[in-house]
Amino acid sequence: MPADLKCKIAGVEFANPIMTASGCAGYGEELAQIYPLSNLGALVTKSISLKVRPGHPPPRTVETPGGLLNAIGLANVGIDRFLKEKVPFLEKQKTKVIVNVAGSTIDEYVEVCSRLNDCSCADMIELNISCPNVNEGGIEFGTSPKLTEKTVAAARKVFKRPIIAKLAPNVTSIAEIANAAEQGGADALSIINSVIGTAVDIDSWQPLLTNINGGLTGPAIKPIALAMVSSVYRKCNLPIIGIGGITDYKDVIEYLLYGATAVQVGTALFVDPSAPLKIVKDLKKYLKEKKLKSVTELIGKVRR
Ligand code: SIN
Protein backbone atom coordinates (compact mmCIF):
# COMPACT_ATOMS: atom_id res chain seq x y z
CA MET A 1 0.00 0.00 0.00
CA PRO A 2 1.41 3.44 -0.92
CA ALA A 3 2.34 5.69 2.01
CA ASP A 4 -0.19 8.33 3.01
CA LEU A 5 0.95 11.86 2.18
CA LYS A 6 -2.04 13.61 3.75
CA CYS A 7 -1.46 16.08 6.56
CA LYS A 8 -3.70 18.34 8.62
CA ILE A 9 -3.17 21.88 9.91
CA ALA A 10 -5.79 23.55 12.11
CA GLY A 11 -8.44 21.09 10.91
CA VAL A 12 -7.71 21.68 7.21
CA GLU A 13 -6.64 18.52 5.39
CA PHE A 14 -4.03 18.73 2.62
CA ALA A 15 -3.52 15.99 0.00
CA ASN A 16 0.22 16.26 0.58
CA PRO A 17 2.56 18.57 2.54
CA ILE A 18 3.87 20.45 -0.54
CA MET A 19 2.56 24.01 -1.04
CA THR A 20 3.73 26.84 -3.26
CA ALA A 21 5.23 29.82 -1.43
CA SER A 22 3.54 33.20 -1.71
CA GLY A 23 4.75 35.32 -4.61
CA CYS A 24 6.26 32.40 -6.52
CA ALA A 25 3.15 31.24 -8.39
CA GLY A 26 1.04 34.43 -8.57
CA TYR A 27 -2.61 33.40 -8.30
CA GLY A 28 -2.02 29.97 -9.83
CA GLU A 29 -3.15 30.66 -13.40
CA GLU A 30 0.23 30.10 -15.06
CA LEU A 31 1.10 27.01 -13.01
CA ALA A 32 -2.28 25.45 -13.89
CA GLN A 33 -1.25 25.55 -17.56
CA ILE A 34 1.64 23.21 -16.73
CA TYR A 35 -0.12 20.71 -14.41
CA PRO A 36 -3.35 20.40 -12.44
CA LEU A 37 -3.08 22.23 -9.15
CA SER A 38 -4.61 19.16 -7.46
CA ASN A 39 -1.01 17.89 -7.41
CA LEU A 40 -0.24 20.46 -4.72
CA GLY A 41 -1.09 20.30 -1.05
CA ALA A 42 -2.03 23.98 -1.38
CA LEU A 43 -1.54 27.03 -3.53
CA VAL A 44 -0.52 30.11 -1.56
CA THR A 45 -1.36 33.32 -3.42
CA LYS A 46 0.76 36.43 -3.81
CA SER A 47 0.02 38.85 -0.96
CA ILE A 48 -3.27 40.69 -1.32
CA SER A 49 -3.55 44.23 0.01
CA LEU A 50 -6.50 46.61 0.24
CA LYS A 51 -5.43 48.68 -2.78
CA VAL A 52 -3.68 47.68 -6.01
CA ARG A 53 0.11 47.94 -5.55
CA PRO A 54 2.45 48.35 -8.54
CA GLY A 55 5.46 47.38 -6.40
CA HIS A 56 8.99 48.68 -6.88
CA PRO A 57 10.35 49.56 -10.35
CA PRO A 58 12.73 47.00 -11.89
CA PRO A 59 15.28 45.63 -11.36
CA ARG A 60 13.56 43.93 -8.46
CA THR A 61 15.22 40.52 -8.54
CA VAL A 62 18.91 39.56 -8.59
CA GLU A 63 20.40 36.09 -8.63
CA THR A 64 23.07 35.41 -6.02
CA PRO A 65 25.12 32.25 -5.35
CA GLY A 66 22.58 29.65 -4.20
CA GLY A 67 19.81 32.20 -3.95
CA LEU A 68 17.64 34.99 -5.22
CA LEU A 69 17.32 38.51 -3.85
CA ASN A 70 13.93 40.11 -4.39
CA ALA A 71 12.42 43.49 -3.64
CA ILE A 72 9.06 43.25 -5.38
CA GLY A 73 7.37 45.66 -2.98
CA LEU A 74 4.20 43.59 -2.54
CA ALA A 75 2.99 44.22 -6.11
CA ASN A 76 -0.53 42.80 -6.32
CA VAL A 77 -3.98 43.35 -7.82
CA GLY A 78 -5.65 44.47 -4.56
CA ILE A 79 -8.67 42.88 -2.88
CA ASP A 80 -11.34 44.18 -5.33
CA ARG A 81 -9.68 42.77 -8.43
CA PHE A 82 -8.64 39.61 -6.54
CA LEU A 83 -12.26 38.83 -5.67
CA LYS A 84 -13.52 39.69 -9.15
CA GLU A 85 -10.77 38.37 -11.42
CA LYS A 86 -8.83 35.71 -9.52
CA VAL A 87 -11.33 34.02 -7.19
CA PRO A 88 -13.52 32.56 -10.00
CA PHE A 89 -10.44 30.68 -11.26
CA LEU A 90 -9.30 29.64 -7.77
CA GLU A 91 -12.79 28.34 -6.89
CA LYS A 92 -12.52 25.79 -9.70
CA GLN A 93 -9.16 24.37 -8.55
CA LYS A 94 -9.15 21.06 -6.73
CA THR A 95 -6.56 22.10 -4.22
CA LYS A 96 -6.55 24.00 -0.95
CA VAL A 97 -6.03 27.75 -1.34
CA ILE A 98 -4.23 29.91 1.21
CA VAL A 99 -4.58 33.65 0.62
CA ASN A 100 -1.58 35.67 1.77
CA VAL A 101 -2.68 39.03 3.21
CA ALA A 102 -0.56 42.19 3.53
CA GLY A 103 -1.35 45.59 4.98
CA SER A 104 0.24 48.98 5.68
CA THR A 105 -1.89 49.38 8.82
CA ILE A 106 -3.75 47.00 11.11
CA ASP A 107 -7.04 48.38 9.76
CA GLU A 108 -5.99 47.36 6.27
CA TYR A 109 -5.25 43.78 7.37
CA VAL A 110 -8.65 43.71 9.08
CA GLU A 111 -10.54 44.95 6.05
CA VAL A 112 -8.88 42.50 3.66
CA CYS A 113 -9.41 39.60 6.09
CA SER A 114 -13.04 40.43 6.64
CA ARG A 115 -13.70 40.63 2.88
CA LEU A 116 -12.09 37.21 2.44
CA ASN A 117 -14.70 35.64 4.73
CA ASP A 118 -17.13 35.50 1.81
CA CYS A 119 -14.53 33.91 -0.42
CA SER A 120 -15.19 30.21 0.17
CA CYS A 121 -12.05 29.16 -1.69
CA ALA A 122 -9.84 30.84 0.94
CA ASP A 123 -9.36 27.76 3.13
CA MET A 124 -6.91 29.67 5.29
CA ILE A 125 -5.17 33.02 5.24
CA GLU A 126 -1.48 33.59 5.72
CA LEU A 127 -0.81 36.95 7.38
CA ASN A 128 2.28 38.53 5.87
CA ILE A 129 3.82 40.33 8.83
CA SER A 130 7.34 39.78 7.52
CA CYS A 131 7.91 41.43 4.12
CA PRO A 132 11.30 43.20 4.34
CA ASN A 133 10.76 45.31 1.20
CA VAL A 134 8.19 47.99 2.06
CA ASN A 135 8.45 51.17 4.12
CA GLU A 136 5.04 50.84 5.76
CA GLY A 137 3.68 47.61 7.16
CA GLY A 138 5.24 44.26 6.32
CA ILE A 139 8.10 43.38 8.62
CA GLU A 140 7.27 46.26 10.97
CA PHE A 141 4.37 44.16 12.33
CA GLY A 142 6.41 40.99 12.66
CA THR A 143 9.53 42.17 14.45
CA SER A 144 7.84 43.28 17.67
CA PRO A 145 6.08 40.67 19.82
CA LYS A 146 3.45 43.25 20.89
CA LEU A 147 2.62 44.32 17.32
CA THR A 148 2.60 40.70 16.16
CA GLU A 149 0.06 39.79 18.81
CA LYS A 150 -2.02 42.89 18.09
CA THR A 151 -2.08 42.34 14.32
CA VAL A 152 -2.92 38.64 14.59
CA ALA A 153 -5.60 39.33 17.21
CA ALA A 154 -7.20 41.97 14.99
CA ALA A 155 -7.33 39.54 12.05
CA ARG A 156 -8.55 36.75 14.36
CA LYS A 157 -11.51 38.88 15.41
CA VAL A 158 -12.81 39.17 11.85
CA PHE A 159 -11.63 36.11 9.91
CA LYS A 160 -13.67 32.98 10.55
CA ARG A 161 -11.31 30.30 9.22
CA PRO A 162 -7.73 29.37 10.29
CA ILE A 163 -4.98 31.98 10.27
CA ILE A 164 -1.30 31.33 9.60
CA ALA A 165 1.24 33.99 10.64
CA LYS A 166 4.24 34.19 8.29
CA LEU A 167 7.26 35.12 10.37
CA ALA A 168 10.45 37.03 9.56
CA PRO A 169 13.91 35.63 10.26
CA ASN A 170 15.22 39.18 10.73
CA VAL A 171 14.57 39.19 14.49
CA THR A 172 16.49 38.46 17.69
CA SER A 173 14.21 35.62 18.83
CA ILE A 174 11.79 34.06 16.36
CA ALA A 175 10.38 31.86 19.14
CA GLU A 176 9.30 34.98 21.04
CA ILE A 177 7.48 36.26 17.95
CA ALA A 178 5.94 32.81 17.40
CA ASN A 179 4.56 32.78 20.93
CA ALA A 180 3.17 36.29 20.44
CA ALA A 181 1.40 35.11 17.28
CA GLU A 182 -0.07 32.19 19.25
CA GLN A 183 -1.25 34.60 21.96
CA GLY A 184 -2.94 36.67 19.26
CA GLY A 185 -4.86 33.61 18.08
CA ALA A 186 -2.83 32.29 15.14
CA ASP A 187 -3.57 28.66 14.23
CA ALA A 188 -0.25 27.96 12.49
CA LEU A 189 3.06 29.55 11.51
CA SER A 190 4.97 29.85 8.23
CA ILE A 191 8.70 29.94 8.94
CA ILE A 192 10.57 31.79 7.37
CA ASN A 193 10.10 34.76 5.06
CA SER A 194 13.25 36.06 3.31
CA VAL A 195 16.51 37.15 4.93
CA ILE A 196 17.45 40.83 4.38
CA GLY A 197 20.33 41.21 1.94
CA THR A 198 21.76 43.42 -0.80
CA ALA A 199 24.12 43.35 -3.79
CA VAL A 200 26.16 46.03 -5.63
CA ASP A 201 27.34 46.39 -9.24
CA ILE A 202 31.12 46.78 -9.04
CA ASP A 203 31.34 48.81 -12.28
CA SER A 204 28.62 51.40 -11.65
CA TRP A 205 28.98 51.12 -7.84
CA GLN A 206 25.19 51.14 -7.69
CA PRO A 207 23.00 48.69 -5.79
CA LEU A 208 21.57 46.02 -8.10
CA LEU A 209 18.02 46.47 -6.77
CA THR A 210 16.14 49.77 -7.06
CA ASN A 211 15.03 49.26 -3.45
CA ILE A 212 18.72 48.74 -2.46
CA ASN A 213 17.88 46.00 0.08
CA GLY A 214 15.91 42.90 -0.77
CA GLY A 215 14.98 39.54 0.72
CA LEU A 216 17.21 36.53 0.11
CA THR A 217 15.52 33.19 -0.64
CA GLY A 218 16.63 29.84 -2.09
CA PRO A 219 19.06 27.10 -0.98
CA ALA A 220 21.42 29.68 0.57
CA ILE A 221 18.96 30.27 3.42
CA LYS A 222 17.91 26.66 4.10
CA PRO A 223 20.18 26.09 7.13
CA ILE A 224 18.96 29.36 8.69
CA ALA A 225 15.32 28.43 8.13
CA LEU A 226 15.80 24.90 9.48
CA ALA A 227 17.36 26.22 12.68
CA MET A 228 14.42 28.59 13.13
CA VAL A 229 11.85 25.84 12.51
CA SER A 230 13.67 23.68 15.04
CA SER A 231 13.74 26.46 17.64
CA VAL A 232 10.04 27.32 17.26
CA TYR A 233 8.99 23.63 17.26
CA ARG A 234 10.56 23.22 20.70
CA LYS A 235 9.19 26.44 22.17
CA CYS A 236 5.73 26.95 20.66
CA ASN A 237 2.70 24.67 20.24
CA LEU A 238 1.51 25.78 16.83
CA PRO A 239 1.93 23.66 13.68
CA ILE A 240 4.70 24.91 11.39
CA ILE A 241 4.92 25.26 7.62
CA GLY A 242 8.63 25.32 6.74
CA ILE A 243 9.93 27.65 4.01
CA GLY A 244 13.41 28.34 2.66
CA GLY A 245 15.45 26.70 -0.06
CA ILE A 246 13.34 23.61 -0.64
CA THR A 247 14.26 22.14 -4.00
CA ASP A 248 13.90 18.37 -3.56
CA TYR A 249 12.39 15.66 -1.32
CA LYS A 250 15.49 15.55 0.90
CA ASP A 251 14.94 19.17 1.89
CA VAL A 252 11.32 18.37 2.76
CA ILE A 253 12.39 15.47 4.98
CA GLU A 254 14.86 17.70 6.84
CA TYR A 255 12.10 20.24 7.53
CA LEU A 256 9.67 17.57 8.74
CA LEU A 257 12.28 15.96 11.00
CA TYR A 258 12.89 19.36 12.60
CA GLY A 259 9.16 19.77 13.28
CA ALA A 260 7.41 21.18 10.20
CA THR A 261 4.05 19.63 9.28
CA ALA A 262 4.17 20.94 5.70
CA VAL A 263 6.49 23.02 3.52
CA GLN A 264 6.31 25.69 0.84
CA VAL A 265 8.38 25.59 -2.33
CA GLY A 266 9.29 29.05 -3.62
CA THR A 267 12.48 29.96 -5.46
CA ALA A 268 12.79 26.43 -6.92
CA LEU A 269 9.62 27.10 -8.96
CA PHE A 270 11.51 29.70 -11.01
CA VAL A 271 14.04 27.04 -12.00
CA ASP A 272 11.52 24.22 -12.46
CA PRO A 273 7.79 24.91 -12.02
CA SER A 274 7.25 21.14 -11.87
CA ALA A 275 9.51 20.72 -8.81
CA PRO A 276 6.50 19.92 -6.53
CA LEU A 277 5.52 16.96 -8.74
CA LYS A 278 8.99 15.43 -8.51
CA ILE A 279 9.14 16.11 -4.77
CA VAL A 280 5.81 14.31 -4.18
CA LYS A 281 6.93 11.30 -6.26
CA ASP A 282 10.30 11.03 -4.51
CA LEU A 283 8.74 11.54 -1.08
CA LYS A 284 6.43 8.57 -1.68
CA LYS A 285 9.41 6.45 -2.68
CA TYR A 286 11.37 7.47 0.43
CA LEU A 287 8.45 6.64 2.75
CA LYS A 288 8.11 3.23 1.12
CA GLU A 289 11.83 2.52 1.49
CA LYS A 290 11.69 3.53 5.15
CA LYS A 291 8.52 1.44 5.62
CA LEU A 292 6.57 4.45 6.91
CA LYS A 293 2.79 4.44 6.54
CA SER A 294 2.31 8.20 6.76
CA VAL A 295 4.41 11.27 6.07
CA THR A 296 3.30 12.60 9.48
CA GLU A 297 5.50 9.96 11.13
CA LEU A 298 8.51 12.14 10.24
CA ILE A 299 7.34 15.27 12.07
CA GLY A 300 9.75 16.29 14.83
CA LYS A 301 11.58 12.96 14.73
CA VAL A 302 15.11 14.33 14.48
CA ARG A 303 17.41 12.31 16.81
CA ARG A 304 19.19 14.77 19.04
C1 SIN B 1 7.82 41.47 -1.89
O1 SIN B 1 6.72 41.57 -2.48
O2 SIN B 1 8.65 42.39 -1.87
C2 SIN B 1 8.18 40.19 -1.21
C3 SIN B 1 7.10 39.72 -0.34
C4 SIN B 1 7.58 39.25 0.98
O3 SIN B 1 8.79 39.08 1.21
O4 SIN B 1 6.75 39.02 1.85
Side-chain angles (χ1 to χ4, degrees):
M1 197 151 116
D4 189 359
L5 285 192
K6 288 200 281 299
C7 64
K8 227 183 214 180
I9 296 176
V12 179
E13 188 172 86
F14 301 92
N16 64 59
I18 314 302
M19 307 173 172
T20 58
S22 176
C24 302
Y27 309 102
E29 291 140 316
E30 295 83 3
L31 209 55
Q33 289 171 28
I34 308 175
Y35 52 86
L37 299 185
S38 55
N39 286 287
L40 300 169
L43 177 98
V44 185
T45 71
K46 175 64 181 163
S47 302
I48 301 296
S49 52
L50 190 56
K51 300 260 158 58
V52 181
R53 288 182 63 101
H56 297 307
R60 48 191 196 181
T61 57
V62 178
E63 238 181 290
T64 58
L68 182 73
L69 266 176
N70 88 79
I72 307 298
L74 295 175
N76 78 94
V77 295
I79 186 71
D80 288 339
R81 281 184 55 201
F82 176 71
L83 293 173
K84 208 164 140 209
E85 297 169 19
K86 308 297 175 186
V87 165
F89 163 82
L90 289 170
E91 277 173 345
K92 288 192 209 113
Q93 305 312 307
K94 294 187 172 36
T95 190
K96 294 287 187 282
V97 174
I98 299 175
V99 180
N100 185 293
V101 174
S104 304
T105 62
I106 293 185
D107 286 348
E108 272 188 36
Y109 281 101
V110 166
E111 187 162 347
V112 175
C113 289
S114 85
R115 293 189 60 192
L116 286 169
N117 271 326
D118 296 333
C119 165
S120 61
C121 70
D123 295 288
M124 301 175 102
I125 57 166
E126 180 178 68
L127 276 188
N128 186 349
I129 50 170
S130 46
C131 174
N133 303 328
V134 288
N135 291 331
E136 283 178 352
I139 203 168
E140 172 192 332
F141 294 108
T143 44
S144 134
K146 269 202 186 116
L147 263 184
T148 296
E149 183 177 339
K150 203 169 158 192
T151 312
V152 175
R156 177 71 291 159
K157 256 195 193 152
V158 294
F159 189 66
K160 301 198 174 72
R161 295 186 290 282
I163 295 178
I164 307 163
K166 183 167 181 177
L167 304 191
N170 311 292
V171 292
T172 310
S173 165
I174 195 165
E176 200 184 336
I177 304 288
N179 286 317
E182 185 175 15
Q183 282 297 314
D187 301 282
L189 303 166
S190 289
I191 297 174
I192 55 176
N193 204 325
S194 58
V195 178
I196 293 173
T198 190
V200 180
D201 182 304
I202 62 159
D203 291 319
S204 67
W205 299 6
Q206 281 176 331
L208 287 165
L209 294 166
T210 51
N211 190 53
I212 303 177
N213 281 353
L216 182 63
T217 60
I221 71 162
K222 193 185 83 178
I224 300 171
L226 272 177
M228 293 199 164
V229 166
S230 166
S231 161
V232 172
Y233 182 69
R234 284 176 289 135
K235 296 179 187 150
C236 178
N237 297 317
L238 295 180
I240 298 169
I241 301 166
I243 320 171
I246 295 161
T247 54
D248 65 20
Y249 79 101
K250 290 182 263 175
D251 299 323
V252 177
I253 292 162
E254 284 189 80
Y255 272 95
L256 297 193
L257 290 173
Y258 270 121
T261 299
V263 297
Q264 294 178 5
V265 178
T267 310
L269 293 175
F270 298 116
V271 181
D272 177 10
S274 302
L277 306 188
K278 186 156 190 328
I279 291 175
V280 166
K281 190 168 143 242
D282 292 345
L283 198 52
K284 275 188 194 151
K285 207 166 138 221
Y286 173 86
L287 293 173
K288 193 171 171 204
E289 276 164 18
K290 293 281 179 196
K291 300 191 178 15
L292 295 172
K293 288 198 182 71
S294 162
V295 70
T296 59
E297 288 174 59
L298 292 168
I299 301 171
K301 291 294 161 52
V302 66
R303 293 182 183 142
R304 290 177 187 278

